[in-house]
């Protein structure tokens, strides 16, 4: 690897064989030296899980002809930890990118997102980081319309750096007949998943449930949210921080009798 | 169940047979009608994971003589979703409590904590919620010194409610010879885990890794953090919010060329 080029670590939560990570890693070769460390199986919905009750496996793989890659038995957050503290000991990446996720991670979904947890994990390590997600769950999703925005956002992060404790959550609309209208810096929409549990019986007569649900947006008319941007064919960028302290609530709690 | 008493849902991430959840559920009977819905196996480190790639199992259990309980094959966040949307359809809990975790969840550990994810999940559903954790990983940990504070904090939450989008992260010092000094409302300390991967070989000669590490506190002298409170034998209370938007960073990004 050339030492003067930025070192870019690429991971994801759909697993190392997904189209999204291949698209992202190939794009990043335009900006720097690429290394991939990604899960060996899908990790969607794993949130900020880490693997502490089981050992981790990590193997080099040659599925990418143009850059080194490793597959890991753990979660996206594990991948970032292993890359930084085991594989890359002597050199800190200049940028961590995660994705492109097959499926959006707007609004509240950031909490459940393995894609964004990898980016947050990098931010904890003081590395500028971006999670990219496409609002299309298909395994064969078309990522072609996202490429110019991915490069623009990654270039800006390499140039400006990121504020301490912050990572970017970038979401793209699914491919439309019209080109993307632009990039909007947004806040996380106030929304939630309204779950429905689909109850079934297995061949032995025992009940089981599939978690399913509908997305409910409490902010449908607010123009400054990620949901609004996506619904209007813009790319959304939400800067996310991992200091969860609700500072306003600290003040309100001074009245409590504790 | 009596209808005029508060309905209190109890969950955790150490699993339904742990001492911590039994202690917490028994305490809550002093404040209302208790229902337990908790994982059937340890879920430590699961963060805000949800189970979407596998079906969920949910069975009633009679391990608690004084209140109804269900064990679930999923994560703490799954338990809250199943309790609210499947078991309790007609009545929303008045309070969700999670814990008492065997091990602290201060500072950055809130991101990896299944205990706190259950509380955050409840906050998303508009239910006041508290995660309780003890700075003692032992399966036989002594929780006796925490009981008065648990009741005081839960009573205050039932009385005052919680701000929209906020849940409390409560941590207790391990039992000391001296009694607890009091309760401090705190912010999340700026800290991280410095991971070390313990590399071993299995009986087949293949490498594997255990995730291990040391906690590094970048805020050792700040008196307003949860870490400081615990180090000085106080109970810490951090109000946590799930809107991760870094609003200050949105302003700073106006200079970017996007």
């Amino acid at each position: 690897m050339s030492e003067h080029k930025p070192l870019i670590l690429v991971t994801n939560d759909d697993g190392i064989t997904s189209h999204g990570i291949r698209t992202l890693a190939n794009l990043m070769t335009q900006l720097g030296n690429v290394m991939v460390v990604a899960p060996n199986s899908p990790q969607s919905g794993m949130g900020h899980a880490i693997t502490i009750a089981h050992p981790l496996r990590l193997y080099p793989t040659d599925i990418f002809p143009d850059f080194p890659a490793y597959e890991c038995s753990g979660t996206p957050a594990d991948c970032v930890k292993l890359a930084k503290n085991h594989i890359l000991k002597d050199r800190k990446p200049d940028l961590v990118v995660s994705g492109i996720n097959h499926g959006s991670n707007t609004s509240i979904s950031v909490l459940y997102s393995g894609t964004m947890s990898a980016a947050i994990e990098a931010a904890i390590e003081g590395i500028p980081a971006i999670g990219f997600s496409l609002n299309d769950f298909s395994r064969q999703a078309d990522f072609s319309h996202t490429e110019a925005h991915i490069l623009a956002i990654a270039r800006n992060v390499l140039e400006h750096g990121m504020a301490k404790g912050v990572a970017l959550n970038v979401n793209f609309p699914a491919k439309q007949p019209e080109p993307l209208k632009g990039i909007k810096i947004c806040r996380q929409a106030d929304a939630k998943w309204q779950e429905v549990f689909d109850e079934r019986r297995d061949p032995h007569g025992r009940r089981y449930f599939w978690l399913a649900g509908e997305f409910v947006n409490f902010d449908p008319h607010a123009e400054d949210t990620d949901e609004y941007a996506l619904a209007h064919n813009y790319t959304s960028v939400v800067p996310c921080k991992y200091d969860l302290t609700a500072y306003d609530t600290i003040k309100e709690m001074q009245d409590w009798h504790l």
Side-chain angles (χ1 to χ4, degrees), chain A:
Chain A
M1 285 191 183
S2 151
E3 284 298 321
H4 63 280
K5 288 171 79 176
L7 174 59
I8 303 176
L9 174 67
V10 184
T11 190
N12 77 341
D13 81 350
D14 289 318
I16 197 163
T17 61
S18 70
H19 285 190
I21 194 168
R22 195 188 310 161
T23 302
L24 184 57
N26 284 330
L27 270 176
M28 288 300 113
T29 60
Q30 298 184 35
L31 304 181
N33 292 320
V34 168
M35 171 176 282
V36 171
V37 182
N40 63 11
S41 66
Q43 299 284 320
S44 296
M46 285 302 281
H48 211 112
I50 52 175
T51 304
I52 50 180
H54 308 278
L56 288 163
R57 301 286 185 165
L58 179 75
Y59 296 110
T61 170
D62 57 6
I63 63 167
F64 301 110
D66 299 329
F67 35 79
Y70 296 81
E71 55 185 270
C72 169
S73 61
T75 65
D78 291 329
C79 289
V80 173
K81 288 178 186 291
L82 270 165
K84 175 173 178 290
N85 297 311
H86 179 75
I87 303 171
L88 287 168
K89 278 175 189 149
D90 298 332
R91 190 172 170 200
K92 196 168 170 175
D94 300 287
L95 176 66
V96 171
V97 292
S98 178
I100 308 165
N101 195 59
H102 295 238
S104 72
N105 281 308
T106 46
S107 178
I108 201 75
S109 301
V110 68
L111 298 181
Y112 309 108
S113 161
T115 305
M116 273 307 293
S117 293
I120 295 276
E121 188 63 40
I124 293 170
E125 295 290 350
I127 306 167
I130 317 165
F132 293 105
S133 304
L134 177 71
N135 190 22
D136 184 342
F137 282 94
S138 160
R139 288 177 68 91
Q140 306 299 330
D142 185 344
F143 295 101
S144 59
H145 61 305
T146 70
E147 298 189 356
H149 283 183
I150 288 173
L151 288 170
I153 294 164
R155 277 200 183 97
N156 270 271
V157 170
L158 283 169
E159 181 184 340
H160 295 281
M162 281 303 303
K164 178 175 152 51
V166 174
L168 297 186
N169 182 20
V170 176
N171 282 271
F172 303 105
K175 174 100 169 179
Q176 310 288 331
E178 305 77 36
L180 291 173
K181 285 187 188 155
I183 298 174
K184 276 188 187 284
I185 319 285
C186 306
R187 67 174 170 89
Q188 173 183 325
D190 181 14
K192 68 166 199 126
W193 290 91
Q194 180 58 52
E195 278 82 15
V196 178
F197 287 93
D198 184 348
E199 183 175 340
R200 305 188 180 187
R201 297 237 170 216
D202 69 20
H204 313 291
R206 295 201 189 111
R207 290 191 309 164
Y208 65 94
F209 302 90
W210 285 105
L211 173 57
E214 283 190 2
F215 189 74
V216 186
N217 186 356
F218 302 116
D219 266 339
H221 304 300
E223 298 189 7
D224 60 345
T225 70
D226 49 5
E227 284 296 320
Y228 187 95
L230 250 65
H232 292 80
N233 207 26
Y234 285 90
T235 295
S236 68
V237 180
V238 178
C240 294
K241 61 181 186 170
Y242 59 78
D243 177 0
L244 306 190
T245 310
Y247 289 94
D248 292 346
T249 306
I250 290 182
K251 288 175 209 152
E252 292 163 16
M253 289 177 67
Q254 303 306 320
D255 299 338
W256 289 27
H257 300 289
L258 290 173

